[in-house]
Amino acid sequence: METIEQGDAFDPNCPTRMVLDRIGDRWTVLVVISLRNGPRRFTELRRKVNGVTPKVLTQTLRAMERDGLVTREVFAEVPPRVEYTLTPLGMSLQTPIQAIADWAEANVGKVMSAREASLQA
Amino acid sequence: METIEQGDAFDPNCPTRMVLDRIGDRWTVLVVISLRNGPRRFTELRRKVNGVTPKVLTQTLRAMERDGLVTREVFAEVPPRVEYTLTPLGMSLQTPIQAIADWAEANVGKVMSAREASLQA
DNA sequence: CCGGATCCTATCCGATACTG
DNA sequence: CAGTATCGGATAGGATCCGG
Protein backbone atom coordinates (compact mmCIF):
# COMPACT_ATOMS: atom_id res chain seq x y z
CA MET A 1 0.00 0.00 0.00
CA GLU A 2 1.38 3.33 -0.98
CA THR A 3 -0.64 5.64 1.17
CA ILE A 4 -1.07 6.08 4.87
CA GLU A 5 -3.43 3.61 6.44
CA GLN A 6 -5.66 4.11 9.40
CA GLY A 7 -3.98 1.51 11.52
CA ASP A 8 -0.67 3.03 10.68
CA ALA A 9 0.58 5.48 13.19
CA PHE A 10 -2.22 4.73 15.56
CA ASP A 11 -0.40 1.75 16.91
CA PRO A 12 2.68 2.39 19.05
CA ASN A 13 4.45 -0.52 17.37
CA CYS A 14 3.93 0.76 13.88
CA PRO A 15 6.72 2.10 11.68
CA THR A 16 5.39 5.59 11.21
CA ARG A 17 4.75 6.04 14.89
CA MET A 18 8.35 5.15 15.61
CA VAL A 19 9.80 7.52 13.06
CA LEU A 20 7.46 10.24 14.22
CA ASP A 21 8.72 9.81 17.74
CA ARG A 22 12.29 10.25 16.55
CA ILE A 23 11.55 13.23 14.35
CA GLY A 24 9.43 14.70 17.05
CA ASP A 25 12.19 15.06 19.53
CA ARG A 26 13.92 18.34 19.71
CA TRP A 27 17.39 17.44 18.53
CA THR A 28 17.52 14.41 16.24
CA VAL A 29 16.53 16.40 13.20
CA LEU A 30 19.05 19.10 13.98
CA VAL A 31 21.81 16.55 14.33
CA VAL A 32 20.94 15.02 10.99
CA ILE A 33 21.11 18.44 9.40
CA SER A 34 24.38 19.23 11.11
CA LEU A 35 25.98 16.02 9.94
CA ARG A 36 24.84 16.13 6.37
CA ASN A 37 28.12 17.60 5.13
CA GLY A 38 30.36 15.08 6.80
CA PRO A 39 31.62 13.94 10.19
CA ARG A 40 31.58 16.30 13.13
CA ARG A 41 33.11 16.19 16.56
CA PHE A 42 31.07 16.31 19.70
CA THR A 43 31.95 19.88 20.51
CA GLU A 44 31.37 20.98 16.94
CA LEU A 45 27.90 19.55 17.13
CA ARG A 46 27.34 21.29 20.40
CA ARG A 47 28.13 24.60 18.78
CA LYS A 48 26.09 23.98 15.67
CA VAL A 49 23.08 22.69 17.54
CA ASN A 50 22.50 25.90 19.35
CA GLY A 51 21.90 25.55 23.05
CA VAL A 52 21.81 21.81 23.53
CA THR A 53 23.34 20.59 26.76
CA PRO A 54 26.01 17.88 26.63
CA LYS A 55 23.82 15.42 28.41
CA VAL A 56 20.98 15.73 25.98
CA LEU A 57 23.28 15.73 22.99
CA THR A 58 24.81 12.51 24.23
CA GLN A 59 21.38 11.00 24.76
CA THR A 60 20.34 11.95 21.28
CA LEU A 61 23.49 10.62 19.67
CA ARG A 62 23.27 7.34 21.56
CA ALA A 63 19.69 6.85 20.50
CA MET A 64 20.60 7.59 16.91
CA GLU A 65 23.48 5.17 17.14
CA ARG A 66 21.19 2.43 18.40
CA ASP A 67 18.87 3.03 15.49
CA GLY A 68 21.69 2.89 12.99
CA LEU A 69 21.48 6.53 11.99
CA VAL A 70 24.97 7.57 13.04
CA THR A 71 28.27 5.92 13.77
CA ARG A 72 30.52 6.95 16.60
CA GLU A 73 34.25 6.73 16.17
CA VAL A 74 36.67 7.25 19.03
CA PHE A 75 40.25 8.23 18.31
CA ALA A 76 42.72 7.20 20.96
CA GLU A 77 44.52 10.49 21.07
CA VAL A 78 45.38 13.18 23.51
CA PRO A 79 43.27 15.16 23.70
CA PRO A 80 40.52 12.64 22.97
CA ARG A 81 38.54 13.01 19.80
CA VAL A 82 35.20 11.53 18.91
CA GLU A 83 33.60 11.84 15.52
CA TYR A 84 30.01 11.25 14.56
CA THR A 85 29.05 10.36 11.02
CA LEU A 86 25.72 9.80 9.34
CA THR A 87 25.20 6.29 8.05
CA PRO A 88 23.54 5.90 4.65
CA LEU A 89 20.35 5.27 6.57
CA GLY A 90 20.78 8.53 8.45
CA MET A 91 21.54 10.31 5.21
CA SER A 92 18.34 9.02 3.69
CA LEU A 93 16.39 10.62 6.51
CA GLN A 94 17.08 13.93 4.90
CA THR A 95 14.47 13.32 2.26
CA PRO A 96 11.50 13.46 4.62
CA ILE A 97 13.17 16.17 6.67
CA GLN A 98 13.55 18.24 3.57
CA ALA A 99 9.89 17.70 2.78
CA ILE A 100 9.00 19.09 6.18
CA ALA A 101 11.34 22.01 5.81
CA ASP A 102 9.89 22.82 2.41
CA TRP A 103 6.37 22.75 3.72
CA ALA A 104 7.38 24.89 6.67
CA GLU A 105 9.00 27.56 4.59
CA ALA A 106 6.15 27.63 2.14
CA ASN A 107 3.37 27.77 4.71
CA VAL A 108 4.69 29.34 7.84
CA GLY A 109 3.25 32.66 6.82
CA LYS A 110 -0.24 31.22 6.65
CA VAL A 111 0.11 29.54 10.00
CA MET A 112 1.35 32.71 11.60
CA SER A 113 -1.47 34.82 10.25
CA ALA A 114 -4.00 32.21 11.32
CA ARG A 115 -2.53 32.47 14.77
CA GLU A 116 -2.71 36.24 14.79
CA ALA A 117 -6.29 36.15 13.58
CA SER A 118 -7.32 33.76 16.31
CA LEU A 119 -6.00 36.11 18.95
CA GLN A 120 -8.54 38.75 17.99
CA ALA A 121 -11.45 36.36 17.92
CA MET B 1 17.22 29.15 -0.39
CA GLU B 2 15.96 25.73 -1.32
CA THR B 3 17.75 23.57 1.20
CA ILE B 4 17.81 23.43 4.95
CA GLU B 5 19.95 26.08 6.51
CA GLN B 6 21.94 25.82 9.67
CA GLY B 7 20.09 28.57 11.44
CA ASP B 8 16.86 27.00 10.41
CA ALA B 9 15.35 24.78 13.02
CA PHE B 10 17.92 25.77 15.59
CA ASP B 11 15.95 28.82 16.50
CA PRO B 12 12.69 28.32 18.38
CA ASN B 13 11.11 31.06 16.29
CA CYS B 14 11.99 29.50 12.99
CA PRO B 15 9.48 27.92 10.62
CA THR B 16 10.83 24.41 10.63
CA ARG B 17 11.08 24.31 14.38
CA MET B 18 7.44 25.25 14.64
CA VAL B 19 6.26 22.61 12.21
CA LEU B 20 8.42 20.03 13.88
CA ASP B 21 6.82 20.79 17.19
CA ARG B 22 3.39 20.19 15.69
CA ILE B 23 4.39 17.02 13.93
CA GLY B 24 6.16 15.83 17.02
CA ASP B 25 3.12 15.76 19.19
CA ARG B 26 1.29 12.53 19.51
CA TRP B 27 -2.01 13.34 17.87
CA THR B 28 -1.83 16.13 15.30
CA VAL B 29 -0.56 13.86 12.57
CA LEU B 30 -3.18 11.26 13.33
CA VAL B 31 -5.94 13.84 13.16
CA VAL B 32 -4.69 15.04 9.79
CA ILE B 33 -4.76 11.48 8.51
CA SER B 34 -8.20 10.88 9.95
CA LEU B 35 -9.61 13.98 8.31
CA ARG B 36 -8.12 13.49 4.91
CA ASN B 37 -11.27 11.92 3.47
CA GLY B 38 -13.62 14.63 4.61
CA PRO B 39 -15.22 16.11 7.72
CA ARG B 40 -15.52 14.08 10.86
CA ARG B 41 -17.42 14.55 14.07
CA PHE B 42 -15.78 14.72 17.45
CA THR B 43 -16.73 11.22 18.50
CA GLU B 44 -15.81 9.81 15.13
CA LEU B 45 -12.34 11.23 15.56
CA ARG B 46 -12.18 9.82 19.04
CA ARG B 47 -12.84 6.39 17.66
CA LYS B 48 -10.48 6.67 14.72
CA VAL B 49 -7.67 8.12 16.76
CA ASN B 50 -7.43 5.09 18.91
CA GLY B 51 -7.36 5.76 22.61
CA VAL B 52 -7.16 9.53 22.77
CA THR B 53 -9.04 11.08 25.65
CA PRO B 54 -11.57 13.84 24.99
CA LYS B 55 -9.46 16.37 26.81
CA VAL B 56 -6.40 15.77 24.73
CA LEU B 57 -8.34 15.55 21.52
CA THR B 58 -9.91 18.90 22.26
CA GLN B 59 -6.51 20.38 23.02
CA THR B 60 -5.15 19.08 19.76
CA LEU B 61 -8.08 20.29 17.71
CA ARG B 62 -8.01 23.73 19.29
CA ALA B 63 -4.32 24.09 18.55
CA MET B 64 -4.86 23.01 14.97
CA GLU B 65 -7.71 25.45 14.65
CA ARG B 66 -5.54 28.29 15.89
CA ASP B 67 -2.93 27.40 13.31
CA GLY B 68 -5.45 27.30 10.52
CA LEU B 69 -5.21 23.58 9.89
CA VAL B 70 -8.79 22.68 10.65
CA THR B 71 -12.14 24.44 10.85
CA ARG B 72 -14.72 23.71 13.47
CA GLU B 73 -18.38 23.92 12.60
CA VAL B 74 -21.14 23.70 15.17
CA PHE B 75 -24.64 22.65 14.15
CA ALA B 76 -27.41 23.95 16.37
CA GLU B 77 -29.28 20.67 16.59
CA VAL B 78 -30.43 18.19 19.12
CA PRO B 79 -28.36 16.22 19.73
CA PRO B 80 -25.51 18.66 19.13
CA ARG B 81 -23.16 18.02 16.26
CA VAL B 82 -19.70 19.43 15.63
CA GLU B 83 -17.72 18.76 12.51
CA TYR B 84 -14.05 19.21 11.95
CA THR B 85 -12.67 19.72 8.46
CA LEU B 86 -9.17 20.09 7.12
CA THR B 87 -8.46 23.46 5.56
CA PRO B 88 -6.46 23.50 2.33
CA LEU B 89 -3.48 24.29 4.52
CA GLY B 90 -4.16 21.26 6.66
CA MET B 91 -4.62 19.15 3.54
CA SER B 92 -1.25 20.26 2.24
CA LEU B 93 0.37 18.92 5.40
CA GLN B 94 -0.21 15.48 4.04
CA THR B 95 2.66 15.84 1.62
CA PRO B 96 5.39 15.94 4.26
CA ILE B 97 3.51 13.43 6.39
CA GLN B 98 3.42 11.06 3.46
CA ALA B 99 7.14 11.54 2.96
CA ILE B 100 7.71 10.48 6.54
CA ALA B 101 5.40 7.52 6.23
CA ASP B 102 7.16 6.41 3.06
CA TRP B 103 10.55 6.64 4.68
CA ALA B 104 9.26 4.77 7.70
CA GLU B 105 7.85 1.90 5.71
CA ALA B 106 10.94 1.62 3.58
CA ASN B 107 13.46 1.75 6.39
CA VAL B 108 11.85 0.46 9.51
CA GLY B 109 13.43 -2.92 8.97
CA LYS B 110 16.90 -1.45 9.01
CA VAL B 111 16.22 0.55 12.13
CA MET B 112 14.84 -2.49 13.89
CA SER B 113 17.80 -4.67 13.04
CA ALA B 114 20.18 -1.93 14.10
CA ARG B 115 18.37 -1.88 17.40
CA GLU B 116 18.56 -5.63 17.78
CA ALA B 117 22.25 -5.60 16.97
CA SER B 118 22.98 -2.94 19.55
CA LEU B 119 21.41 -5.05 22.24
CA GLN B 120 24.04 -7.73 21.83
CA ALA B 121 26.93 -5.30 21.81
C1' DC C 1 37.93 17.20 25.20
C1' DC C 2 34.20 14.06 25.95
C1' DG C 3 30.41 12.96 28.36
C1' DG C 4 28.56 10.40 32.69
C1' DA C 5 25.80 11.30 37.23
C1' DT C 6 22.55 13.68 39.67
C1' DC C 7 18.84 16.57 40.51
C1' DC C 8 15.10 19.35 39.00
C1' DT C 9 11.39 21.39 36.18
C1' DA C 10 8.05 21.79 32.53
C1' DT C 11 5.04 19.68 29.63
C1' DC C 12 2.38 16.43 27.80
C1' DC C 13 -0.77 12.94 28.38
C1' DG C 14 -4.14 9.78 30.62
C1' DA C 15 -8.03 8.58 33.91
C1' DT C 16 -12.07 9.89 35.88
C1' DA C 17 -15.96 12.49 36.64
C1' DC C 18 -19.22 15.94 35.53
C1' DT C 19 -22.11 19.60 32.46
C1' DG C 20 -24.88 22.13 28.54
C1' DC D 1 -23.05 14.45 21.69
C1' DA D 2 -19.43 17.35 22.76
C1' DG D 3 -16.99 18.83 25.55
C1' DT D 4 -14.83 20.93 30.59
C1' DA D 5 -12.62 20.28 35.29
C1' DT D 6 -9.47 18.24 38.18
C1' DC D 7 -5.93 15.31 39.46
C1' DG D 8 -1.93 12.67 38.85
C1' DG D 9 1.90 10.21 36.47
C1' DA D 10 5.45 9.78 33.05
C1' DT D 11 9.24 11.72 30.68
C1' DA D 12 11.90 14.84 27.86
C1' DG D 13 14.84 18.25 28.59
C1' DG D 14 17.85 21.66 31.34
C1' DA D 15 21.45 23.00 35.12
C1' DT D 16 25.25 21.73 37.37
C1' DC D 17 29.00 19.13 38.89
C1' DC D 18 32.40 15.72 38.26
C1' DG D 19 35.39 11.95 36.17
C1' DG D 20 38.39 9.54 32.39
Side-chain angles (χ1 to χ4, degrees):
Chain A
M1 44 188 93
E2 307 300 40
T3 59
I4 303 172
E5 277 306 312
Q6 293 309 340
D8 215 10
F10 296 72
D11 172 1
N13 304 329
C14 115
T16 303
R17 176 76 265 141
M18 204 201 58
V19 175
L20 246 29
D21 287 343
R22 283 261 146 277
I23 288 189
D25 89 43
R26 199 150 207 76
W27 306 112
T28 301
V29 171
L30 305 186
V31 170
V32 171
I33 296 172
S34 294
L35 288 180
R36 101 193 120 147
N37 289 326
R40 292 285 180 266
R41 304 179 57 174
F42 186 84
T43 307
E44 276 183 292
L45 281 174
R46 242 189 109 178
R47 269 200 318 274
K48 287 173 92 69
V49 180
N50 177 34
V52 67
T53 60
K55 186 193 82 171
V56 175
L57 181 55
T58 299
Q59 274 179 5
T60 304
L61 288 168
R62 291 281 190 276
M64 295 176 72
E65 207 186 346
R66 273 203 316 278
D67 290 353
L69 300 177
V70 302
T71 54
R72 177 174 182 273
E73 189 173 8
V74 182
F75 296 86
E77 303 173 356
V78 177
R81 183 162 59 102
V82 180
E83 279 190 358
Y84 295 91
T85 311
L86 278 185
T87 63
L89 185 60
M91 276 290 182
S92 72
L93 239 192
Q94 286 182 123
T95 304
I97 289 177
Q98 189 67 52
I100 294 170
D102 289 347
W103 189 93
E105 265 199 35
N107 296 292
V108 123
K110 298 177 192 170
V111 173
M112 292 309 280
S113 21
R115 237 174 240 190
E116 301 292 329
S118 73
L119 290 180
Q120 307 184 350
Chain B
M1 41 186 104
E2 305 301 42
T3 59
I4 303 171
E5 277 305 312
Q6 292 310 338
D8 215 10
F10 296 72
D11 172 3
N13 304 328
C14 112
T16 303
R17 175 76 264 140
M18 203 201 59
V19 176
L20 246 29
D21 286 345
R22 283 262 149 278
I23 288 189
D25 88 43
R26 200 150 206 76
W27 306 112
T28 301
V29 171
L30 304 186
V31 170
V32 171
I33 296 173
S34 295
L35 288 180
R36 103 195 116 145
N37 288 326
R40 292 286 179 265
R41 304 179 59 171
F42 188 83
T43 305
E44 275 184 292
L45 281 175
R46 244 188 108 177
R47 269 201 319 274
K48 288 173 90 70
V49 179
N50 175 33
V52 68
T53 60
K55 186 191 79 170
V56 175
L57 182 55
T58 300
Q59 276 178 4
T60 304
L61 288 167
R62 292 282 190 274
M64 293 175 73
E65 208 186 346
R66 272 203 318 277
D67 289 353
L69 301 177
V70 301
T71 54
R72 177 174 181 273
E73 188 174 9
V74 182
F75 297 85
E77 305 173 355
V78 178
R81 181 161 60 103
V82 179
E83 279 189 356
Y84 294 90
T85 312
L86 278 185
T87 62
L89 185 60
M91 276 290 183
S92 72
L93 240 191
Q94 286 183 124
T95 304
I97 290 176
Q98 188 67 53
I100 295 171
D102 289 346
W103 189 93
E105 264 200 35
N107 296 291
V108 119
K110 298 177 192 171
V111 173
M112 292 310 279
S113 19
R115 236 174 241 190
E116 301 292 330
S118 73
L119 289 181
Q120 307 184 348

